[in-house]
């Protein structure tokens, strides 16, 4: 089998663990525990291990194969399935996870039945849709009825809490008011069942803003956090939070230069569509020095999601397997065989870690 050295993504495990610890400790001061969400690095087990070592309460992912990978690696925390289960995966949900997020009565019935077959009890968190319009009960009367159904008639399930997700589809902010709505729902359910819920799970990284501002409603005690630990970039870039207490140097993407030439900046000939059927605009800046590197959209998704670390290097285009860089103003004299480094964000991190052409190199000091 060919063994390629580049493209390569370096992952600094020590930096990642420090990030987990910083966020776990910050949340702890406000009575909040963290489910460490591993899907941002496609569930890489060695990254998941840092969530364990850094003090997360559980390991969470949207995908069962990532949970299985972490289990096989020997991580002994409870496992949470983030995506509402597919009916077709119920046996594996019961086999591999301890707790799942849910919004459908028929799925809960199937979980209950399967848990019985496997002689297990499975915990469930019922999701409330508070306006972001992805998963969760919109009708809160229905949610209450289903909660009571689980409580009273599903002997293999434990109703362990309520949760919500904000921001991912509808871009809705996790404000104090929104999360207070979740607490109201939780307390209605508690009143109806006569006992306290173990978890009120107030969202993902976007809810960390409430922790940073110190105005998270008191009863919210679990956040499911991925980006805010893996990269700690979004709260800074989109919302202006000072995230300098987190390490932003966990990842380093390396790609190799395969061509360096002076070429026109505007294509020459009759223009139609590019490799992906699009009609990009090309800015004519005359003849400029450019480099081609051996990495493309198949590896990282979209060229807007990787960020050159070398001064004067700008990405001007990409196709499946190539990325074109303007290096006219580069501070270094680049040539084929040279390696360029890039920072990543959540979108490119997901693609890069999921791409079998990209080598992952772990750094442990
Ligand atoms: C992905 C996901 C999360 C984690 O999101 P981050 O923004 O990476 O913290 C939390 N909850 C659910 C339901 C998710 O699907």
């Amino acid at each position: 089998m060919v063994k390629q050295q580049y493209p390569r993504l370096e992952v600094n495990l020590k930096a990642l663990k420090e990030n987990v610890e910083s966020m776990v400790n910050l949340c702890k001061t406000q009575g909040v525990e963290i489910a460490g969400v591993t899907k941002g690095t496609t569930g890489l087990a060695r990254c998941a291990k840092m969530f364990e070592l850094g003090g997360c309460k559980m390991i969470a992912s949207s995908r069962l194969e990532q949970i299985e990978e972490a289990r096989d690696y020997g991580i002994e925390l409870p496992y949470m399935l983030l995506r509402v289960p597919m009916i077709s995966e119920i046996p594996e949900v019961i086999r591999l996870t301890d707790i799942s997020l849910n919004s459908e009565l028929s799925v809960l019935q199937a979980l209950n039945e399967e848990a019985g077959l496997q002689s297990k009890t499975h915990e469930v968190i019922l999701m409330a849709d508070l306006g972001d319009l992805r998963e969760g009960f919109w009708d809160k009367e229905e949610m209450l009825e289903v909660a009571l159904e689980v409580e009273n008639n599903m002997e293999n399930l434990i109703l362990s809490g309520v949760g919500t997700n904000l921001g991912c589809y509808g871009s809705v902010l996790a404000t104090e008011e929104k999360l207070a709505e979740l607490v109201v729902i939780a307390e209605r359910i508690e009143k109806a069942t006569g006992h306290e819920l173990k978890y009120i799970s107030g969202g993902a990284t976007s809810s960390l803003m409430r922790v940073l501002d110190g105005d998270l409603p008191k009863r919210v005690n679990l956040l499911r956090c991925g980006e805010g630990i893996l990269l700690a970039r979004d709260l800074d870039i989109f919302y202006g939070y000072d995230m300098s207490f987190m390490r932003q140097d966990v990842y380093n993407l390396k790609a190799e230069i395969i061509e360096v030439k002076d070429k026109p900046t505007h294509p020459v000939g009759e223009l139609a569509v590019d490799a992906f059927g699009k009609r990009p605009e090309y800015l004519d800046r005359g003849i400029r020095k450019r480099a081609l590197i051996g990495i493309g959209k198949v590896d990282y998704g979209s060229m807007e999601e990787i960020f050159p670390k070398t001064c004067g290097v700008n990405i001007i285009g990409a196709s499946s397997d190539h990325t074109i860089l303007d290096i006219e103003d580069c501070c270094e004299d680049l040539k084929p065989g040279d390696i360029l480094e890039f920072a990543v964000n959540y979108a490119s991190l997901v693609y890069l870690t999921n791409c079998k052409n990209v080598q992952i190199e772990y750094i442990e000091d």
Side-chain angles (χ1 to χ4, degrees):
M1 207 177 87
V2 266
K3 179 78 180 131
Q4 293 202 280
Q5 291 206 56
Y6 298 98
R8 187 193 306 182
L9 182 72
E10 291 175 349
V11 181
N12 184 329
L13 293 174
K14 182 162 171 276
L16 178 55
K17 178 165 158 253
E18 281 177 31
N19 276 1
V20 179
E21 286 167 344
S22 301
M23 201 48 87
V24 164
N25 290 335
L26 173 68
C27 287
K28 195 180 281 172
T29 63
Q30 301 188 25
V32 175
E33 292 184 300
I34 289 184
V37 175
T38 63
K39 68 190 189 208
T41 54
T42 315
L44 289 172
R46 297 191 61 183
C47 295
K49 184 73 188 173
M50 297 304 118
F51 280 104
E52 180 185 37
L53 295 176
C56 287
K57 167 90 174 170
M58 53 184 103
I59 297 290
S61 180
S62 48
R63 293 171 187 261
L64 289 169
E65 72 273 15
Q66 297 179 7
I67 287 173
E68 184 169 47
E69 188 180 332
R71 286 178 66 115
D72 290 350
Y73 191 73
I75 298 170
E76 288 185 359
L77 290 179
Y79 287 93
M80 170 189 269
L81 180 63
L82 293 171
R83 186 169 61 191
V84 169
M86 298 181 226
I87 300 255
S88 61
E89 67 186 358
I90 296 285
E92 298 291 59
V93 175
I94 297 297
R95 180 172 73 87
L96 293 168
T97 76
D98 303 283
I99 180 165
S100 57
L101 308 183
N102 284 275
S103 63
E104 287 285 355
L105 180 61
S106 60
V107 174
L108 288 158
Q109 285 163 337
L111 282 170
N112 182 49
E113 198 171 310
E114 180 65 31
L117 290 177
Q118 295 188 30
S119 308
K120 286 187 167 175
T121 51
H122 182 81
E123 290 185 62
V124 295
I125 287 181
L126 299 188
M127 294 298 275
D129 188 337
L130 300 181
D132 202 62
L133 307 184
R134 199 178 66 184
E135 75 277 42
F137 291 93
W138 183 248
D139 179 346
K140 306 309 178 298
E141 297 307 318
E142 181 195 355
M143 184 168 172
L144 180 61
E145 281 167 28
V146 171
L148 286 171
E149 182 67 19
V150 173
E151 176 75 16
N152 298 326
N153 298 322
M154 300 193 189
E155 64 278 16
N156 306 309
L157 299 187
I158 298 171
L159 176 66
S160 67
V162 296
T164 194
N165 199 69
L166 290 162
C168 285
Y169 170 69
S171 321
V172 172
L173 272 173
T175 57
E176 194 182 351
E177 294 72 33
K178 277 288 171 204
L179 297 181
E181 282 179 40
L182 181 66
V183 175
V184 168
I185 294 167
E187 290 178 345
R188 276 190 71 192
I189 292 176
E190 288 174 334
K191 203 159 162 232
T193 62
H195 68 81
E196 194 167 287
L197 292 168
K198 184 155 110 187
Y199 301 120
I200 300 184
S201 182
T205 293
S206 54
S207 296
L208 286 174
M209 289 189 265
R210 301 283 64 80
V211 174
L212 292 162
D213 287 348
D215 59 5
L216 185 75
K218 256 202 192 59
R219 289 219 46 206
V220 174
N221 60 3
L222 180 70
L223 295 180
R224 311 171 306 269
C225 187
E227 197 282 336
I229 289 173
L230 291 168
L231 289 137
R233 203 170 178 277
D234 290 359
L235 294 180
D236 175 358
I237 288 181
F238 300 122
Y239 303 103
Y241 284 85
D242 178 6
M243 299 303 285
S244 59
F245 67 101
M246 301 287 282
R247 289 186 60 167
Q248 265 95 28
D249 61 344
V250 178
Y251 316 93
N252 188 28
L253 173 62
K254 292 179 160 181
E256 181 169 339
I257 296 180
I258 56 176
E259 179 186 296
V260 176
K261 292 192 191 304
D262 290 332
K263 290 192 188 181
T265 36
H266 195 278
V268 182
E270 247 180 87
L271 304 196
V273 296
D274 74 4
F276 283 57
K278 300 279 191 303
R279 298 173 190 275
E281 303 260 332
Y282 302 94
L283 186 64
D284 192 349
R285 302 178 71 198
I287 304 245
R288 289 177 68 86
K289 191 173 192 186
R290 318 153 355 125
L292 212 52
I293 50 176
I295 187 170
K297 292 185 192 178
V298 165
D299 306 287
Y300 55 69
S302 145
M303 68 181 193
E304 286 81 25
E305 322 289 352
I306 61 169
F307 310 92
K309 292 185 180 175
T310 314
C311 67
V313 171
N314 291 300
I315 301 175
I316 57 175
S319 58
S320 311
D321 312 305
H322 297 81
T323 303
I324 306 165
L325 309 171
D326 182 298
I327 58 166
E328 179 76 25
D329 303 323
C330 182
C331 48
E332 292 170 32
D333 184 26
L334 298 173
K335 55 186 188 313
D338 286 350
I339 306 302
L340 288 175
E341 300 187 344
F342 299 80
V344 302
N345 66 9
Y346 191 84
S348 52
L349 183 63
V350 169
Y351 279 93
L352 289 162
T353 50
N354 198 30
C355 181
K356 64 178 190 292
N357 307 311
V358 178
Q359 309 303 315
I360 307 287
E361 184 183 351
Y362 295 101
I363 294 170
E364 306 200 50
D365 55 36

